C-alpha cells in the first residue's frame, strides 16, 4: 500500500465511537457503563417487542447504512454501508466499502463496522449485537459475523452472485458452525438495490 494511501483508521468517525488506536478499556470506567452513541430507541427494549415497532427501527437503521454507503462513491468504491448496534440499541460502529480507496481487499463495509464496534466495546466478542448492511454479506464478511458472535444480521438487497447469508451460500446458519446468526432480509431492499444499480450503470 502506498505511504500516502488513506487507511481505514483515517476516516473521520462519529463522536463517541472508538478507533483502533483508542484505549481498549478504561480502568476507571464501570463495567456497566454504556458504550457507543445513543439512538432514539436506546432506552427501550431492543429490538422492540412488536413487529411494527421492530420494522420501524430496522428501516431507520438501514437509512443510516444507506447514508454511509453514499460516502463510498467519492472513492469510486461499490456503495455498500454497514453499522453495528449493541444489545441496548446504541451505535457501536459504522463502515463503508473502502477497497479502492485503501487498496485493502478486506476493507468491506461489514468488516470495518465490526472492527470499530469491537474497538468501542474493547472486545472482539460482539454477542447480542446487530449488524445492518445494505447488501448481503460475502463469504468473508459472513465468516466475520460468525467469528464475532454477532447475534443478528439485518440486510437490504440480496446478492445473487456472491451472497453468503442465504442466496448462494448460507454460512451464518450452517448447522456445522459453532454459532448461528438470525437473518432479517429485505429491509428497504429496493432502495439498497437502486444505489448499486445506479453505480454499476455509471461504470459502463
Amino acid at each position: 500500500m502506498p505511504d500516502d494511501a488513506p487507511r481505514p483508521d483515517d476516516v473521520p468517525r462519529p463522536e463517541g465511537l472508538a478507533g483502533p488506536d483508542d484505549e481498549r478499556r478504561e480502568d476507571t470506567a464501570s463495567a456497566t457503563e454504556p458504550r457507543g452513541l445513543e439512538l432514539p430507541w436506546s432506552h427501550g427494549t431492543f429490538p422492540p417487542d412488536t413487529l411494527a415497532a421492530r420494522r420501524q427501527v430496522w428501516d431507520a437503521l438501514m437509512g443510516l447504512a444507506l447514508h454511509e454507503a453514499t460516502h463510498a462513491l467519492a472513492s469510486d468504491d461499490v456503495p455498500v454501508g454497514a453499522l453495528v448496534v449493541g444489545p441496548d440499541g446504541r451505535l457501536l460502529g459504522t463502515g463503508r466499502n473502502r477497497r479502492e480507496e485503501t487498496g485493502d481487499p478486506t476493507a468491506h463495509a461489514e468488516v470495518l463496522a465490526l472492527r470499530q464496534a469491537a474497538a468501542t466495546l474493547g472486545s472482539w466478542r460482539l454477542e447480542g449485537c446487530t449488524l445492518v448492511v445494505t447488501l448481503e454479506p460475502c463469504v468473508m464478511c459472513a465468516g466475520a459475523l460468525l467469528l464475532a458472535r454477532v447475534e443478528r444480521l439485518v440486510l437490504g438487497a440480496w446478492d445473487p452472485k456472491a451472497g453468503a447469508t442465504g442466496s448462494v451460500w448460507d454460512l451464518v446458519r450452517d448447522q456445522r458452525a459453532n454459532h448461528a446468526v438470525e437473518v432479517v432480509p429485505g429491509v428497504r431492499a429496493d432502495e439498497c438495490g437502486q444505489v448499486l444499480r445506479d453505480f454499476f450503470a455509471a461504470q459502463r
Side-chain angles (χ1 to χ4, degrees):
M1 183 185 296
D3 291 339
D4 59 349
R7 292 172 171 77
D9 303 348
D10 299 333
V11 65
R13 57 183 181 272
E15 182 180 351
L17 298 186
D21 296 328
D22 291 339
E23 195 66 39
R24 294 286 176 149
R25 295 183 183 277
E26 297 181 17
D27 294 336
T28 58
S30 167
T32 59
E33 180 183 351
R35 295 182 182 236
L37 293 178
E38 185 176 305
L39 295 174
W41 44 81
S42 299
H43 292 295
T45 301
F46 183 85
D49 293 328
T50 68
L51 289 177
R54 189 171 293 203
R55 172 61 71 174
Q56 187 175 21
V57 169
W58 296 154
D59 285 353
L61 287 171
M62 190 61 71
L64 296 177
L66 278 164
H67 180 73
E68 190 69 22
T70 63
H71 293 309
L73 296 171
S75 56
D76 206 29
D77 274 285
V78 178
V80 177
L83 56 89
V84 177
V85 292
D88 57 358
R90 296 173 72 92
L91 180 63
L92 301 177
T94 61
R96 65 178 184 272
N97 266 355
R98 302 187 70 211
R99 286 190 304 173
E100 300 298 332
E101 182 181 350
T102 64
D104 178 359
T106 70
H108 287 203
E110 301 97 313
V111 170
L112 299 183
L114 291 171
R115 287 176 184 169
Q116 191 175 85
T120 299
L121 291 178
S123 172
W124 63 267
R125 290 181 176 272
L126 302 182
E127 294 166 339
C129 292
T130 298
L131 184 136
V132 181
V133 62
T134 58
L135 179 66
E136 181 185 6
C138 67
V139 170
M140 176 183 71
C141 295
L145 288 172
L146 287 173
L147 293 173
R149 308 293 194 269
V150 169
E151 178 176 334
R152 184 181 301 103
L153 166 68
V154 177
L155 66 89
W158 290 106
D159 184 349
K161 294 183 178 180
T165 62
S167 54
V168 183
W169 299 279
D170 195 356
L171 298 183
V172 297
R173 290 175 290 193
D174 192 315
Q175 293 183 354
R176 294 165 293 186
N178 63 356
H179 178 68
V181 178
E182 176 191 353
V183 178
V184 181
V187 177
R188 298 177 69 165
D190 290 341
E191 294 173 70
C192 294
Q194 192 61 52
V195 170
L196 293 163
R197 288 190 290 271
D198 292 345
F199 172 80
F200 287 115
Q203 303 300 305
R204 299 191 186 102

